[in-house]
Amino acid sequence: MSVRGLRKNYGALVAVDDVTFDVDFGECFAILGPNGAGKTTTVEIIEGYRPRDAGEVNVLGVDPAQANRAWRAQIGIVLQSVRDLGEVNVREAVAHFASYYPAPADIDLTIAAVGLQEKSGDRIGKLSGGQRRRLDVALGVIGSPRLLFLDEPTTGFDPQARREFWALLQSIQQAGTTIVLTTHYLDEAEVLADRVAVIAAGRVIAIDTPAQLGTGTSDVAEVSWRESGTWHHQSTTTPGAFVVDLQRRIGGEIPDLTVRRSTLEDRYLALIDQASPEQAS
Amino acid sequence: MSIDTPSLPNSWAIGRKRVGLELRQFFRDRESAVFNFALPVLLLIVFGSVFGGQDLGNTDVSFAQYFVAGMIASGILYTSFQNLAISIPIEREDGTLKRLRGTPMPKSSYFIGKVGTVVVAYVAQIIVLIAVGRIFYDLQIPSTATAWFTFAWLSVLGLISCTLLGIAYSVVPRQGKGASAVVAPVVLVLQFISGVFFIFSDLPTWMQNLASVFPLKWLTQGMRSVFLPESAAALEVSGSFQLPLVALILTAWCVAGAIGAVVFFRWTPRGSN
């Protein structure tokens, strides 16, 4: 999948401005950004839901603006906050959507894969929020897609449900499906994504692996220790060398030494601050 | 259907599946089942019991029989127009339509599903209405092939026009939540002015003229020709059931509905895009 110079205006507002990135086969690609940054608009253009004003998009060899049924059959979409299908049960819904696809996955295996086998005969309107999103994933993957989109899939989940949901997405990726997900949870991107794009104010401000993202923009680690009863803190890009020097100077074990690498969150916030200083004030 | 999509299920097969899914939703959703299906039956029993056996004018037609014919015509309006004009805005809002657009379902299958659901709901409804009318109000079941033929084309033209009008009217409710508030009054007022709740020839002339613009007046008039004895023609304003005119006006509404559905129907909520 490739996106080049993507642009979308809503009246005078430029929602997406010159967005460019690629997603490789089998990858999990996360799009991070503050609310209103243009994440959902970008993804909806790629999904073929919205027209664009400029730029080129190629997804599985097709321009999504020309989406046909054959292309749709290879794409799975897990939407944000849908409340449909309340009156039918889980199995009825999954079986129904399976009938749209030329090569659907097994209905009961899919229900089991998302952990809803116990709820198979339950009305969808009676599912909890987490179970509901699992069903949405089941409907997203029932057509055996090559590419799965998820839009802020774990919003409103409790920590336990999020971990289970992440495991589910990891198993889907291991089965060979490329995943594109938008999120505003950094830990989610860190756990799931092979690469992360940060979008702020409609522009891509960084693309990298979660470990490397934004390492050029802030110090990599903070070293803390105690010396003569007072705490010292030092930010450094070379924590190893710093600690060796420190040990030599102190001559022995360094009291209360911690080396904290900057978290994805530190680096993400630094990136967002740099991109929109006027928003930070 | 085309060379590059050889193994995709065809739109009729998917449309049939949608009929099954939509029927389950139609009958399992309490609001939909009561409002679109049970209400006409309930009204028939209540009104029929209140005004029951009085004969109308010099005929041997009771008000209850007159009313059953009107309710059968109304059944078309309930199961097609009201059902779709309320359910489509809800589907636009709750994500149903967005989800469907993201799948390889052909758009035609969605409409096949709607039409199929309307037809099944209508047939089930008239069976119940006729049964209630027969058991409690001495409704005559038509005995001639001509009457059944009239019933058939009235049903077909009525369902086509009111289905298309319901699809077109589905843009009027701004939100799914209040959709019934802008749809049900239309249906109710039409029933009052079209000779369902009252004898049409007793209504003020201006009201008769107003009702003559809309399809329900013609549907009820046609249904009276099917379910009431020939002598009941004397109750009509013109002294006859005017079947050719009924066919003509319903056909015109089919055309208007088709244009309206194509022009006005939208998959996305207002304000998106």
Side-chain angles (χ1 to χ4, degrees), chain A residues 44 49-50 68-70 72 79 82-85 87-88 92 96-97 99-102 123 132 136 139, chain B residues 1 5 7-9 14 17-18 24 28-29 93-96 98-104 106 273:
Chain A
E44 289 198 341
Y49 273 132
R50 282 174 195 274
N68 62 11
R69 293 182 61 205
R72 286 251 168 251
L79 295 167
V82 281
R83 304 177 306 282
D84 58 341
L85 298 166
E87 307 301 325
V88 294
E92 287 170 334
H96 175 77
F97 279 86
S99 74
Y100 293 1
Y101 294 89
R123 294 273 172 98
R132 166 87 229 199
D136 289 332
L139 298 180
Chain B
M1 86 187 226
T5 59
S7 53
L8 286 162
I14 296 179
K17 299 273 184 186
R18 286 215 56 82
R24 283 188 198 127
R28 284 181 192 172
D29 179 54
E93 193 171 84
D94 73 10
T96 302
K98 189 169 188 185
R99 186 197 294 287
L100 292 177
R101 284 201 306 135
T103 71
N273 263 353

Side-chain angles (χ1 to χ4, degrees), chain A residues 60 69-76 101 143-148, chain B residues 104:
Chain A
L60 303 175
R69 293 182 61 205
W71 182 79
R72 286 251 168 251
Q74 300 182 64
I75 305 283
Y101 294 89
S144 318
R146 294 166 67 194
L147 174 60
L148 181 67

Side-chain angles (χ1 to χ4, degrees), chain A residues 43 58 101 111 144 245 278:
Chain A
V43 171
N58 185 311
Y101 294 89
I111 292 170
S144 318
D245 283 350
E278 74 278 8

